[in-house]
Amino acid sequence: MKLITLLMLLVTLLRVCATSREPDERAHNIAKIHTELAAAYFERKQYAVALQEIGVAMQADASYAPIYNVSGLIRMALREDEQAEADFRRGLKLDPDSSETHNNFGWFLCQRGHERESIQQFLSALKNPLYATPETAYANAGICARKVGDLQAAESTRNAH
């Protein structure tokens, strides 16, 4: 009798765990879809709509790191530098291995006069062997190294890829 009660309790707990995961997965999927929509609107320079999509994504799952990468890009384009930097840093706090966020944050820093700090971000992006577009980070690092007159570093990034 105790065994049956214990098994029933275990089955009930497993059901609760399974159903409690569904809302998390649903929220994650909503955040992902709206982040992707925001990125598409960003590419079309429809920043207001892109920010609306970011808002929906954040409401669904504020812990979804790519939200902050896309939001940082939008804020960068709008020259809302303080918010852009905060977004990139938040994204990296949530996902320190995101090569895309490291590269985009690096480009932001380079464009805002922090070239040396930007190069560190590009190098962090390149640490990930699965980074799909390392040539972008190499090129960006070279451009920023050249901006500060470090021609040797700029040349070494050109030859690295």
Side-chain angles (χ1 to χ4, degrees), residues 95-122:
D95 183 5
D97 298 325
S98 172
S99 294
E100 291 80 11
T101 306
H102 278 294
N103 181 68
N104 292 336
F105 186 35
W107 188 245
F108 167 79
L109 291 169
C110 183
Q111 296 304 302
R112 300 308 192 258
H114 303 282
E115 293 86 356
R116 294 199 189 283
E117 188 180 349
S118 76
I119 293 168
Q120 292 306 311
Q121 293 297 323
F122 299 130

Side-chain angles (χ1 to χ4, degrees), residues 66-130:
I67 292 171
Y68 301 97
N69 182 39
V70 176
S71 183
L73 290 170
I74 297 165
R75 300 295 184 177
M76 179 180 166
L78 294 172
R79 305 217 42 96
E80 296 174 359
D81 291 353
E82 191 173 307
Q83 184 62 51
E85 183 172 349
D87 285 340
F88 287 128
R89 289 190 188 280
R90 175 84 189 271
L92 289 171
K93 184 175 183 181
L94 291 169
D95 183 5
D97 298 325
S98 172
S99 294
E100 291 80 11
T101 306
H102 278 294
N103 181 68
N104 292 336
F105 186 35
W107 188 245
F108 167 79
L109 291 169
C110 183
Q111 296 304 302
R112 300 308 192 258
H114 303 282
E115 293 86 356
R116 294 199 189 283
E117 188 180 349
S118 76
I119 293 168
Q120 292 306 311
Q121 293 297 323
F122 299 130
L123 295 176
S124 292
L126 292 166
K127 288 179 183 175
N128 180 357
L130 301 176

Side-chain angles (χ1 to χ4, degrees), residues 19-34 57 60-61:
T19 56
S20 69
R21 237 187 257 160
E22 287 176 20
D24 290 344
E25 187 176 330
R26 186 178 186 306
H28 174 82
N29 288 336
I30 290 169
K32 182 177 187 226
I33 289 165
H34 286 278
D61 183 0

